[in-house]
Amino acid sequence: MPRPHGFAYTTTSNGTVHITHHDRPATTLNGSRAARFLEEVTAGDPQLVMARWTGNYRRGNERTARNHPRNRH
């Protein structure tokens, strides 16, 4: 599976975190979720962490699996 890329985040003075993917808004985190995200992003691979938090980490063979004859309904 290819590694995630194109994610960026910004924090505001009130603690809100805005995550973008290729300059498009992906999600906004507030309060305790934002604090947990900031701890996790500094400890691990930032691109992978942001992909997980936005739900954009499942990119691989979904399209080919969907078109497989066994999965057609």
Side-chain angles (χ1 to χ4, degrees), residues 14-56:
N14 64 358
T16 301
V17 176
H18 298 283
I19 302 175
T20 59
H21 186 241
H22 295 295
D23 297 325
R24 293 183 179 183
T27 192
T28 301
L29 304 172
N30 297 311
S32 63
R33 292 188 71 210
R36 281 195 340 243
F37 167 79
L38 290 172
E39 289 174 10
E40 203 172 312
V41 79
T42 57
D45 177 20
Q47 292 294 308
L48 187 60
V49 171
M50 287 183 272
R52 244 184 359 89
W53 276 80
T54 60
N56 193 10

Side-chain angles (χ1 to χ4, degrees), residues 61-73:
N61 65 350
E62 290 92 356
R63 288 189 192 124
T64 56
R66 185 178 342 146
N67 294 331
H68 191 275
R70 175 182 59 225
N71 296 329
R72 291 186 188 172
H73 296 275

